[in-house]
Amino acid sequence: MSVLEIDRLTAGYHRTIPTITEVSAVLTSGETVAVIGPNGAGKSTFIKAIFGLCIQHSGAVRLDGVSLTGQPPSKIVARGLGYVPQVSNVFAGLTVRENLEMGGYLQRREIRRRIEEVTEVFPDLRAALGRKAEQLSGGQRNMLALARALMTKPAFVLLDEPTAGLSPLYVDRVWAQVRQVAATGVGVLIVEQNARRALEAAQRGLVLVEGKVAMNRPSTELLGNPEVIELYLGGEGSASQPATTGEAS
Ligand SMILES: Nc1ncnc2c1ncn2[C@@H]1O[C@H](COP(=O)(O)OP(=O)(O)OP(=O)(O)O)[C@@H](O)[C@H]1O
Ligand SMILES: [Mg+2]
């Protein structure tokens, strides 16, 4: 059992003005935490800050009690965190196999076996190992990004809108795969525009508003919270797609 602890993280893109302020969260093996909130709330920044990909002002990130704060991203990956960014998450000109090899460079000797293991969960990718990533559909590319992040056998993966811009069929398939990954014991932190969908798949939900944690509750509570329903779930009884859903890929 591993624990990823984000402790009052304050971070951003400017030396003195933070984008996220004192954001805390705890994630354990096999648990899924959904991060929801309006556009520009700082959801992507939160994930980047965990990885040291923006300026950390204060706070700490700890994996099993050991600080990751200030470590280079390569060290953080080696310690057991995987990251799937919101955009440009695969190498378009490389084949599926090459993309997976890039993700697994830490375990060169094991690479072949690991590709076998990872593609067991992603039959589409197994069938397309020799094809260039640019020839894949948007959904398949997102699956590839997720599969690549799994190459290093991370304890935790941080996913930034893996279903954005996908057709409903692929949204379902990507979610099914996220659930499958969580079922193998990986802790999943997922940023998602479709708040209802995310909360239904997660055990906990973190609502970020203007760079601060507005709520951090079990997802069942958030799904029944009138304020959350009104603001993020599109109102009682309406479709699950929130008004702010972006169509960008
Ligand atoms: N590289 C950057 N440099 C400077 N400011 C940035 C950068 N990236 C994001 N920001 C700003 O930080 C704030 C938070 O952005 P962020 O991308 O974290 O929001 P988000 O919640 O992920 O939004 P979305 O739902 O649109 O993906 C926004 O005001 C944004 O303009
Ligand atoms: Mg974002």
Side-chain angles (χ1 to χ4, degrees):
M1 167 75 90
S2 284
V3 182
L4 177 66
E5 194 187 355
I6 299 127
D7 185 11
R8 288 164 293 168
L9 196 56
T10 297
Y13 307 94
H14 188 278
R15 289 255 151 245
T16 52
I17 307 162
T19 297
I20 58 161
T21 307
E22 304 223 329
V23 177
S24 296
V26 175
L27 190 59
T28 56
S29 299
E31 185 184 23
T32 298
V33 172
V35 181
I36 63 171
N39 292 112
K43 304 180 297 295
S44 295
T45 304
F46 174 49
I47 293 195
K48 285 187 235 172
I50 294 170
F51 258 83
L53 296 170
C54 59
I55 301 167
Q56 292 175 341
H57 294 240
S58 60
V61 179
R62 287 184 286 267
L63 180 59
D64 297 330
V66 179
S67 177
L68 299 179
T69 317
Q71 299 281 320
S74 60
K75 274 262 168 60
I76 294 176
V77 170
R79 287 289 320 282
L81 256 59
Y83 171 43
V84 180
Q86 187 168 351
V87 288
S88 309
N89 48 21
V90 298
F91 298 102
L94 300 184
T95 65
V96 169
R97 182 182 293 282
E98 287 163 346
N99 265 280
L100 293 173
E101 285 170 356
M102 297 288 282
Y105 72 99
L106 289 163
Q107 296 151 322
R108 202 173 285 275
R109 280 171 301 169
E110 266 193 83
I111 223 159
R112 206 173 261 273
R113 182 160 22 116
R114 190 62 189 149
I115 288 177
E116 286 292 312
E117 286 170 8
V118 164
T119 55
E120 206 152 288
V121 191
F122 301 89
D124 273 43
L125 298 182
R126 182 170 281 191
L129 278 171
R131 291 176 66 195
K132 291 245 166 78
E134 64 201 1
Q135 296 173 289
L136 303 178
S137 70
Q140 289 169 330
R141 271 203 296 273
N142 286 8
M143 286 178 196
L144 176 57
L146 176 54
R148 194 182 60 193
L150 294 173
M151 284 294 289
T152 54
K153 294 190 186 172
F156 296 96
V157 286
L158 315 181
L159 312 177
D160 198 348
E161 299 201 26
T163 68
L166 301 186
S167 66
L169 173 70
Y170 269 112
V171 169
D172 287 349
R173 293 182 62 185
V174 169
W175 270 113
Q177 274 163 346
V178 169
R179 284 174 188 271
Q180 223 173 322
V181 166
T184 66
V186 176
V188 178
L189 184 89
I190 183 165
V191 172
E192 173 62 47
Q193 288 284 350
N194 186 330
R196 186 181 299 278
R197 187 85 193 231
L199 292 174
E200 282 167 359
Q203 287 78 55
R204 264 193 111 73
L206 198 73
V207 183
L208 266 190
V209 180
E210 292 176 10
K212 298 193 176 79
V213 177
M215 289 180 226
N216 179 356
R217 317 284 312 160
S219 5
T220 46
E221 278 183 35
L222 292 177
L223 283 165
N225 180 307
E227 193 189 336
V228 173
I229 292 170
E230 175 66 28
L231 291 175
Y232 306 110
L233 304 179
E236 191 86 72
S238 76
S240 60
Q241 206 78 344
T244 52
T245 294
E247 288 301 314
S249 59

